[in-house]
Amino acid sequence: MNQNHTEKKARPVAPKVKELINASKSIILATVDAEGNPNSSYAPFVQVDQTFYILVSFMAKHTKNLADGRKTSIMFIEDESAVKQIYARERLTFEAVTSQIERDSEIWNTVIAQLKETHGKVVDVISEMGDFILIALQPVKGSYVNGFGSAYFVDANLEIVEHRNDVNHQSK
């Protein structure tokens, strides 16, 4: 490889955080259980302000982890069938604080209606099942990547804080 190629820096691409979220129907979840064992899963979601809501069953491992308020990470990622470079998929990852929403509360009813509007009548059925609970995922801090050399810190309000230009990719 020539010297010019190894010193060439990738140019950051303008962030499109809200567009990535709006293009997503589900959220990827990473949780840990009481013993610290990791678990990954996904759930359909809706967003109200800067909070994400998911309706999940206790039959899934991640639900107890979420209900117990354990460490949680959430991720939105570009559809791999739509990317030119698999290593550079657009993605947004957050640490999140979880809380369970009380059944039949005002927020429960509002969010369930929005879930139904977004994801269909199946929400009427599963929201009536006793093992399903509504979880709020409140972002704390995160990162957004949309290409090589194009990574950003993101705050709890889903706003870009700064470009992560402290680390450059280098060749061996």
Side-chain angles (χ1 to χ4, degrees), residues 32-52:
V32 293
D33 66 17
E35 291 77 40
N37 298 310
N39 179 254
S40 59
S41 191
Y42 85 99
F45 78 97
V46 292
Q47 181 183 1
V48 177
D49 299 320
Q50 280 77 35
T51 303
F52 303 99

Side-chain angles (χ1 to χ4, degrees), residues 2 29 37 54 57-58 61 66 75 83 87 95 101 125 129 132-133 139 141-142 145 149 158 160-161:
N2 69 33
L29 304 164
N37 298 310
I54 57 175
S57 167
F58 268 106
K61 269 185 173 183
L66 293 163
M75 180 178 183
V83 299
Y87 281 99
E95 294 173 20
I101 304 302
V125 175
M129 295 179 177
F132 275 82
I133 62 171
K141 62 181 178 178
V145 177
L158 312 176
I160 298 296
V161 176

Side-chain angles (χ1 to χ4, degrees), residues 127-147:
S127 65
E128 293 298 319
M129 295 179 177
D131 62 304
F132 275 82
I133 62 171
L134 186 62
I135 296 286
L137 299 154
Q138 181 64 52
V140 176
K141 62 181 178 178
S143 66
Y144 171 79
V145 177
N146 64 349

Side-chain angles (χ1 to χ4, degrees), residues 36-106:
N37 298 310
N39 179 254
S40 59
S41 191
Y42 85 99
F45 78 97
V46 292
Q47 181 183 1
V48 177
D49 299 320
Q50 280 77 35
T51 303
F52 303 99
Y53 294 89
I54 57 175
L55 185 61
V56 289
S57 167
F58 268 106
M59 293 182 79
K61 269 185 173 183
H62 62 260
T63 302
K64 179 164 178 36
N65 301 339
L66 293 163
D68 289 348
R70 296 213 170 79
K71 288 185 177 183
T72 301
S73 178
I74 59 177
M75 180 178 183
F76 301 89
I77 190 164
E78 182 178 21
D79 185 335
E80 67 184 36
S81 67
V83 299
K84 293 178 186 173
Q85 175 47 260
I86 195 70
Y87 281 99
R89 286 171 75 187
E90 181 183 7
R91 56 206 177 270
L92 173 65
T93 306
F94 274 104
E95 294 173 20
V97 174
T98 64
S99 57
Q100 185 173 337
I101 304 302
E102 186 179 329
R103 187 175 285 272
D104 296 321
S105 65
E106 184 178 337

